[in-house]
Amino acid sequence: MSIDPRVVKEELIQIYPKKLRQKRSEQIVVTEHREDGSVPEIKANVRSSPGIITQRGCTYAGCKGVIIGPSRDILSIVHGPIGCSFYAWLTRRNQTRPPTDADPNFINYCLSTDMQEENIVFGGEKKLKVAVKEAFHLFHPKAIAIFSTCPVGLIGDDVHAVAREMKAELGINVFGFSCEGYRGVSQSAGHHIANNGLFKHIIGLDETPHDDKFKINLLGEYNIGGDGFVLEDLFTRCGIKQIATFSGNSTYASMANSHTADLNLVMCHRSINYVAEMMETRFGIPWMKVNFIGADATAKTLRKIAKYFEDDELSARVEGVIAEEMAKVEVTRSVVKARSQGKTAMLFVGGSRAHHYQELFTEIGMKTIAAGYEFGHRDDYEGRKILPGLKVDADSRNIEEIEVVPDPERYRARRSPDQLAKLEGLTEMEFRDYIGMMPEMDDEQLVIDDLSHHETERLLEIYKPDVFCAGIKEKFAVQKMGIPCKQLHSYDYGGPYAGFRGAINFFKDIDRMVNMKIWSYITPPWQPPTKELAEVAAD
Ligand code: CFM
């Protein structure tokens, strides 16, 4: 199929009014590797336009739902009207497993102040205090987090003052987040706000040392569909001590103690790179980007960790685990690849998965023909090296930038600059860096930021991909068009998809979707007659 992506781009945006057309044309890019090593610039992390059906969520969802929510023993209270509290509960498939029945697990609870008109007019702080005290007496948690929804910011309730007062009165850690839905252009702002809160209120509170040799934290892994369980098992088998995960299957205590690790592994950089940066500056812990999505990617990541620790025994153990797991992967992968080779996929998800999951498709011979993030920033598309040139826009200025300096007592550079430079000389070892989606894609493919519903429909009509990856909001609209839709946020109740075991699950699930006959029995609206692109271009 030879479709000119530039013609498709024009087709997608031609329906828009002139100003919007101009904006969207900067958010839709045709991939290309230029001679100087750069990729085209894309406009990202800007406001969605009114009237557009976007896939995005709000800042509160990013703070409460994504970053803090997966932690099982921080009690989360949503300060706001009850509607917002749909997100106070498990709308995301982050799983957790308390070691015993006696260990607290608040994930299933939904706590809201249920603000009423009266609170909007006269203020909601009193109600919030009552709620915090009531929650404390019911659950006796070690920590309570308060999340602000839009009205809280509009009427000026001071959740931080309430948190301070309650902390003093109850003797537990209470902290608030100014994560009103409108704070940023998407959930991405909520990630940043939550990162700041983790750093200010939790990380570094517990000094308990560990005498394990290889101590890491895993950042940006939220245990969706049990991904984190697979990785915990891998680390244990390799002899690597995982102090904390931010924040899948995590506890408050593990995060408080996370600064005792010697390396931070960053899985989803979009949501958590701020914590990695701040921990390096204050405590001297280097960070590196990893990817556990894809069997080859997992093997590569484990080898990177072993290289960092420069220990023969660890390397041998890691190689043993890789060999054992890869043998199992190969059995499924070769069968699925034979059937799926050459099929096409589109991925429009969040802020990192639309990139990471391309690996899994590549491993079974499938090609990504269009991809994009809902709320990624330019560095997620183009690579972290463009960050210094990025200008801070008006929306990002709403988010506090905390000043971090080395801790006078606790800063300990885990590796000297010379050691880091030596490690960086090795293949595939970089610190404080990630490559971005576009450099890893083939040329002449479409990359689209903040894809709209109209663009989704046109893309599907024109390309008819074998699978479209997105979320629940898109799923059934896409499937009604006769194209299987794989949810990459929730995994369609499936998964885990991380690590070797996860890759096997993914290959099997995708095999079922792209090689199942049922889709060919559905007559999509474009058949007959098919409006081919030649006609579109001629219009
Ligand atoms: Fe990171 Fe995520 Fe994602 Fe994300 Fe999300 Fe998610 Fe996602 Mo849904 S933290 S950016 S805000 S990998 S909830 S686990 S799937 S949009 S691509």
Side-chain angles (χ1 to χ4, degrees):
M1 176 170 45
S2 74
I3 297 177
D4 182 349
R6 284 166 197 84
V7 178
V8 176
K9 173 176 170 173
E10 287 314 311
E11 161 62 18
L12 295 183
I13 61 177
Q14 51 112 352
I15 195 174
Y16 296 139
K18 194 166 162 231
K19 220 169 135 192
L20 179 55
R21 198 157 63 227
Q22 174 57 32
K23 181 178 164 200
R24 289 305 290 155
S25 82
E26 293 171 56
Q27 291 180 279
I28 303 177
V29 159
V30 177
T31 51
E32 135 187 35
H33 290 79
R34 295 173 177 149
E35 264 175 29
D36 63 358
S38 70
V39 290
E41 182 176 329
I42 189 166
K43 195 184 186 85
N45 192 32
V46 292
R47 292 180 191 190
S48 302
S49 298
I52 288 283
I53 303 178
T54 163
Q55 301 176 324
R56 284 172 162 177
C58 72
T59 301
Y60 150 67
C63 182
K64 157 70 181 81
V66 175
I67 309 289
I68 309 292
S71 199
R72 81 172 86 98
D73 59 356
I74 298 174
L75 193 69
S76 293
I77 299 183
V78 173
H79 187 32
I82 200 65
C84 304
S85 291
F86 178 73
Y87 252 117
W89 193 60
L90 270 179
T91 52
R92 185 160 169 261
R93 286 188 70 223
N94 41 250
Q95 302 185 356
T96 200
R97 208 180 263 161
T100 71
D101 285 349
D103 288 287
N105 177 9
F106 306 131
I107 279 193
N108 293 345
Y109 293 99
C110 173
L111 282 81
S112 168
T113 54
D114 183 21
M115 284 176 107
Q116 302 292 324
E117 262 172 37
E118 187 195 325
N119 311 121
I120 302 293
V121 176
F122 297 107
E125 290 179 18
K126 270 193 211 139
K127 197 171 192 188
L128 176 60
K129 280 182 214 171
V130 173
V132 172
K133 284 189 227 178
E134 192 184 335
F136 173 74
H137 292 300
L138 277 173
F139 296 101
H140 305 286
K142 289 184 195 149
I144 294 181
I146 302 163
F147 300 91
S148 307
T149 59
C150 292
V152 172
L154 295 173
I155 64 172
D157 272 2
D158 188 345
V159 298
H160 306 287
V162 172
R164 278 193 299 272
E165 193 185 322
M166 289 296 104
K167 186 175 175 175
E169 189 177 322
L170 304 174
I172 58 160
N173 200 353
V174 186
F175 40 89
F177 293 94
S178 291
C179 56
E180 293 85 353
Y182 61 77
R183 279 275 165 186
V185 300
S186 69
Q187 52 267 66
S188 170
H191 302 152
H192 196 165
I193 292 164
N195 279 212
N196 287 347
L198 286 172
F199 199 70
K200 282 200 295 197
H201 300 294
I202 305 177
I203 295 169
L205 290 181
D206 174 16
E207 292 300 336
T208 310
H210 301 270
D211 49 18
D212 305 78
K213 254 166 110 181
F214 316 114
K215 290 171 285 192
I216 56 117
N217 296 311
L218 179 58
L219 277 61
E221 162 49 57
Y222 303 96
N223 202 21
I224 308 296
D227 278 353
F229 297 145
V230 174
L231 303 182
E232 284 170 18
D233 173 61
L234 270 183
F235 288 132
T236 309
R237 283 161 60 201
C238 292
I240 297 165
K241 168 81 176 172
Q242 197 178 351
I243 307 250
T245 306
F246 291 87
S247 55
N249 193 31
S250 69
T251 58
Y252 172 72
S254 66
M255 292 177 175
N257 186 236
S258 59
H259 64 300
T260 59
D262 292 327
L263 175 66
N264 276 333
L265 306 175
V266 177
M267 179 68 206
C268 167
H269 49 283
R270 178 64 276 135
S271 60
I272 204 109
N273 70 85
Y274 318 96
V275 163
E277 286 271 294
M278 293 187 281
M279 283 180 83
E280 175 155 28
T281 310
R282 180 172 296 172
F283 300 109
I285 308 170
W287 67 268
M288 64 186 187
K289 170 83 183 90
V290 294
N291 186 13
F292 287 104
I293 301 300
D296 295 340
T298 301
K300 199 159 102 183
T301 291
L302 289 175
R303 290 190 175 117
K304 267 167 76 163
I305 302 167
K307 268 188 206 164
Y308 172 82
F309 285 108
E310 299 179 279
D311 182 279
D312 292 342
E313 212 184 305
L314 175 64
S315 295
R317 250 177 112 160
V318 160
E319 288 305 330
V321 170
I322 293 174
E324 189 185 324
E325 293 290 324
M326 272 306 202
K328 289 185 236 164
V329 168
E330 214 37 69
V331 174
T332 309
R333 189 162 67 177
S334 52
V335 174
V336 175
K337 189 172 180 178
R339 281 201 281 264
S340 310
Q341 184 84 41
K343 293 193 184 288
T344 55
M346 291 184 177
L347 301 89
F348 290 93
V349 208
S352 69
R353 293 191 169 184
H355 177 192
H356 289 154
Y357 282 73
Q358 292 187 27
E359 286 260 352
L360 278 169
F361 284 115
T362 307
E363 289 189 14
I364 47 170
M366 288 181 62
K367 192 171 161 58
T368 301
I369 53 174
Y373 299 124
E374 289 168 42
F375 51 77
H377 298 200
R378 271 188 60 198
D379 47 309
D380 304 310
Y381 288 106
E382 300 170 46
R384 193 175 171 88
K385 63 181 180 313
I386 64 123
L387 266 187
L390 263 191
K391 53 176 193 304
V392 181
D393 53 61
D395 285 301
S396 304
R397 274 199 205 101
N398 280 338
I399 307 165
E400 183 192 12
E401 275 294 339
I402 31 187
E403 182 92 31
V404 184
V405 294
D407 188 291
E409 275 109 50
R410 297 184 292 172
Y411 180 90
R412 183 169 57 81
R414 306 308 203 264
R415 297 289 181 271
S416 70
D418 281 355
Q419 283 171 312
L420 284 181
K422 193 184 123 213
L423 285 167
E424 285 200 316
L426 307 173
T427 4
E428 318 246 33
M429 286 293 281
E430 296 105 25
F431 297 91
R432 308 180 197 101
D433 198 18
Y434 39 81
I435 194 166
M437 173 198 281
M438 287 205 268
E440 293 205 320
M441 285 179 72
D442 288 347
D443 282 352
E444 297 289 299
Q445 311 304 324
L446 275 170
V447 168
I448 306 174
D449 184 59
D450 190 16
L451 182 80
S452 76
H453 185 75
H454 158 72
E455 291 155 9
T456 306
E457 285 189 347
R458 288 304 291 133
L459 270 182
L460 294 174
E461 285 165 354
I462 294 166
Y463 284 98
K464 307 176 188 76
D466 293 294
V467 65
F468 187 86
C469 301
I472 189 67
K473 298 194 287 292
E474 299 79 42
K475 182 165 178 95
F476 298 102
V478 171
Q479 296 200 155
K480 280 177 187 168
M481 297 177 76
I483 289 168
C485 179
K486 179 72 205 159
Q487 289 191 68
L488 280 190
H489 301 259
S490 70
Y491 300 164
D492 288 307
Y493 326 106
Y497 290 150
F500 303 105
R501 192 149 64 80
I504 295 172
N505 290 338
F506 190 80
F507 298 150
K508 286 182 181 165
D509 288 352
I510 292 300
D511 184 25
R512 274 186 217 117
M513 298 184 103
V514 302
N515 294 309
M516 185 160 63
K517 295 258 184 315
I518 185 102
W519 301 103
S520 62
Y521 297 138
I522 300 171
T523 308
W526 63 77
Q527 268 176 1
T530 307
K531 195 173 186 190
E532 291 298 348
L533 197 77
E535 296 171 53
V536 167
D539 278 352

